[in-house]
Amino acid sequence: HVSEMTPLVRGDSHAESLPPEPSTASYGVMEETMNRHPLQRIPSEESIHTVTALPGMVIRCHSINVNFGSARVLRGDGGCTIRPSTTKVALKAVQLERRAAAKRQQTNSPSRATTQQSLADGDAVATSSLSSPTMKENYWIDIETPQRNTDELYDFLKQLRLPPFFVSILSEPSNWTSEVVALKQVSLAIFQILPSNPNETVEPTHVALLSMPRLLVTFHTFSHTQNGNDATTEGLYKLVSQYMKQRERVPEASNSGLLLAWLQFHVRRTARAIKELRLATVEMDRDMDRDFANFDFEQLVEAKNCLLRVLSVAEEQHGTIESLTVAEESTEGLDFGNCRGALSMLRANASSNERLASRVDKHLNELRERVMTHREDTLNQRLALLTILSAIFMPLTLLSGIWGMNFENMPELQMEGAYQKALFGMVILALCMVYSFHRAGWSS
């Protein structure tokens, strides 16, 4: 796969006005000079260039813009359209946005003549799209790569001209942990998500989210041993893209709106996994009440292990979302000003997942205590039975030991029918002891 990349963070500080057009007379001199000294094209640090993707890497790009045919746009509450796009177009838009931001910093307030000229050059729609970031076309780039060594990822990410600190973090996916790093122009969030199958015993999955004006980049790795023919990763990407294309899923046509929709999708996946575990826990509780003796304890252990993984993801997601809320104040890569309602809902859902998972964990612990208590009761009953049997046979063993002594003068041995009488006496003694234990309540 080949995609066109451009600098994502650095501004166009070297951009200057073009020199004046040379006169006709000077063209001959220029041609002679070029023949003697052929010019070589030196790529600018701010120009768009082509980057060859690593083997097995998949890069997808989508554009999101306001659906002008929707009446909801007039109310300012959404109306977004997501279409396929190219990375070259997306990154060119980011480059232009940074140039505009640099110019705005140089001139805090544009002149009246410049404003009138911009209105005359375009129609009303184009002018409104340039005046509001949410009316501009925003982009989402998704990068997936198989697990590979740090040097390969470092060389690839270095071509994107990200800050060296971000490159060092992104090039080591095995060391990713949930965190949020906010710089002036771009923010980085490492977000933990559930695997495609939460019941699988796999390592937690992390995704890197790079957010900057007009662009959201999602970067993550996958394992061939887990996904086989990559169908799992492809299926998860399709679910995310289909979710975002549904009506009212993206709260705002901006990188921050895309970020909230992406986070909301995975938070809802976590919520569904927790609800499935809660239903399974309730079903196990019913099975335990119906037939405790035949209850499968291994099923409870598997549910407990699965819940611990889901609970860990829910806690990490909640913490990361709260950190993003705080980081908004210190970076231009995040702007939730026009989607506060969606942000509040996301925070509430993440907090609810954590609380619900804790309650399910408490329920599973109660079931486990019931199973352990039942096992202890069963063991105590068996020990009580052994104690009763030992108590019954103790006097019989004593009589057998006495009569087994090798003395020459033992009158009992010379009696007529002594053997039969001894056996009869032992049986009577054992029955009496059994009756005594039964009256004392030991048999229950």
Side-chain angles (χ1 to χ4, degrees):
H1 304 272
V2 178
S3 63
E4 294 78 6
M5 297 296 175
T6 191
L8 303 182
V9 177
R10 303 182 56 177
D12 291 334
S13 57
H14 302 288
E16 299 178 355
S17 59
L18 295 176
E21 185 72 17
S23 62
T24 307
S26 63
Y27 275 116
V29 179
M30 292 174 59
E31 183 178 0
E32 182 180 357
T33 304
M34 292 177 62
N35 291 334
R36 272 184 280 170
H37 304 284
L39 295 178
Q40 295 181 354
R41 184 176 182 269
I42 301 176
S44 170
E45 290 187 355
E46 312 304 335
S47 63
I48 297 179
H49 58 283
T50 301
V51 177
T52 303
L54 298 176
M57 180 177 289
V58 181
I59 301 178
R60 310 179 183 93
C61 182
H62 295 274
S63 66
I64 176 172
N65 52 10
V66 177
N67 184 7
F68 291 99
S70 175
R72 299 173 65 247
V73 178
L74 301 177
R75 302 194 302 267
D77 58 349
C80 306
T81 303
I82 298 180
R83 301 184 181 90
S85 184
T86 62
T87 55
K88 183 175 182 178
V89 174
L91 299 172
K92 181 62 177 178
V94 176
Q95 188 181 46
L96 295 177
E97 182 69 21
R98 297 211 172 279
R99 289 179 179 177
K103 292 181 179 179
R104 286 195 299 269
Q105 291 178 358
Q106 294 176 359
T107 57
N108 295 331
S109 58
S111 62
R112 182 179 182 87
T114 303
T115 304
Q116 293 177 352
Q117 181 65 27
S118 63
L119 291 175
D121 291 340
D123 56 354
V125 175
T127 305
S128 62
S129 65
L130 292 174
S131 62
S132 175
T134 59
M135 303 294 281
K136 297 179 182 179
E137 198 167 29
N138 290 261
Y139 301 90
W140 167 37
I141 299 177
D142 180 77
I143 304 175
E144 295 177 353
T145 179
Q147 292 182 353
R148 56 183 75 246
N149 59 52
T150 303
D151 295 336
E152 289 181 327
L153 287 179
Y154 187 87
D155 293 338
F156 172 77
L157 294 169
K158 190 167 60 174
Q159 299 177 72
L160 305 183
R161 299 178 187 177
L162 296 171
F165 178 64
F166 283 176
V167 174
S168 63
I169 294 177
L170 296 176
S171 61
E172 299 180 354
S174 59
N175 297 330
W176 284 358
T177 57
S178 299
E179 60 180 336
V180 175
V181 182
L183 300 183
K184 182 179 180 181
Q185 298 291 338
V186 61
S187 66
L188 170 65
I190 306 296
F191 194 75
Q192 186 173 359
I193 65 174
L194 290 176
S196 299
N197 185 5
N199 295 323
E200 293 181 354
T201 306
V202 296
E203 294 295 327
T205 303
H206 290 85
V207 179
L209 306 170
L210 284 166
S211 180
M212 58 202 74
R214 297 186 64 184
L215 178 63
L216 172 68
V217 180
T218 56
F219 176 75
H220 56 101
T221 62
F222 59 87
S223 173
H224 285 299
T225 57
Q226 295 174 7
N227 299 334
N229 58 356
D230 304 342
T232 303
T233 304
E234 179 70 19
L236 186 58
Y237 164 77
K238 287 183 178 179
L239 291 176
V240 177
S241 59
Q242 290 174 2
Y243 174 85
M244 288 188 174
K245 292 178 181 178
Q246 294 177 8
R247 182 178 299 178
E248 300 180 2
R249 295 302 190 187
V250 180
E252 181 189 34
S254 65
N255 64 303
S256 298
L258 283 169
L259 176 62
L260 290 179
W262 191 94
L263 293 174
Q264 188 70 264
F265 169 79
H266 288 285
V267 168
R268 291 187 177 184
R269 285 187 66 239
T270 305
R272 287 194 297 268
I274 296 174
K275 291 178 181 178
E276 291 176 0
L277 285 172
R278 183 180 62 178
L279 295 177
T281 303
V282 173
E283 187 64 26
M284 284 188 291
D285 197 351
R286 294 174 180 173
D287 294 340
M288 191 177 296
D289 292 336
R290 287 194 295 262
D291 189 2
F292 202 102
N294 296 326
F295 178 76
D296 187 7
F297 184 72
E298 294 298 328
Q299 182 182 1
L300 178 60
V301 174
E302 293 177 0
K304 178 68 175 181
N305 294 335
C306 183
L307 177 66
L308 290 178
R309 293 192 294 269
V310 176
L311 178 59
S312 174
V313 172
E315 292 175 346
E316 295 294 334
Q317 289 180 351
H318 185 206
T320 305
I321 291 172
E322 293 298 325
S323 299
L324 281 172
T325 305
V326 177
E328 179 193 6
E329 302 176 357
S330 58
T331 179
E332 297 178 4
L334 299 172
D335 184 9
F336 303 127
N338 296 331
C339 44
R340 291 294 176 185
L343 177 62
S344 300
M345 182 179 297
L346 177 64
R347 297 174 63 185
N349 291 341
S351 178
S352 175
N353 288 346
E354 187 175 356
R355 293 193 304 270
L356 181 59
S358 299
R359 288 197 294 268
V360 176
D361 184 37
K362 183 178 179 181
H363 194 178
L364 287 175
N365 289 334
E366 293 176 355
L367 294 181
R368 185 173 182 177
E369 290 179 0
R370 288 176 57 185
V371 172
M372 299 305 297
T373 301
H374 180 266
R375 289 187 172 183
E376 291 178 359
D377 292 341
T378 303
L379 180 61
N380 291 335
Q381 291 176 3
R382 292 173 180 175
L383 291 176
L385 179 60
L386 292 176
T387 302
I388 293 174
L389 293 176
S390 300
I392 292 174
F393 282 97
M394 281 181 63
L396 306 182
T397 304
L398 176 61
L399 293 177
S400 300
I402 293 175
W403 290 332
M405 295 180 182
N406 296 324
F407 290 106
E408 295 181 358
N409 186 11
M410 296 187 69
E412 297 89 343
L413 299 179
Q414 305 300 327
M415 292 175 57
E416 182 178 359
Y419 176 70
Q420 291 79 4
K421 294 178 181 178
L423 291 178
F424 181 75
M426 290 180 180
V427 172
I428 295 299
L429 179 60
L431 292 176
C432 292
M433 295 189 67
V434 170
Y435 178 74
S436 300
F437 285 124
H438 178 70
R439 289 289 303 273
W442 282 46
S443 60
S444 59

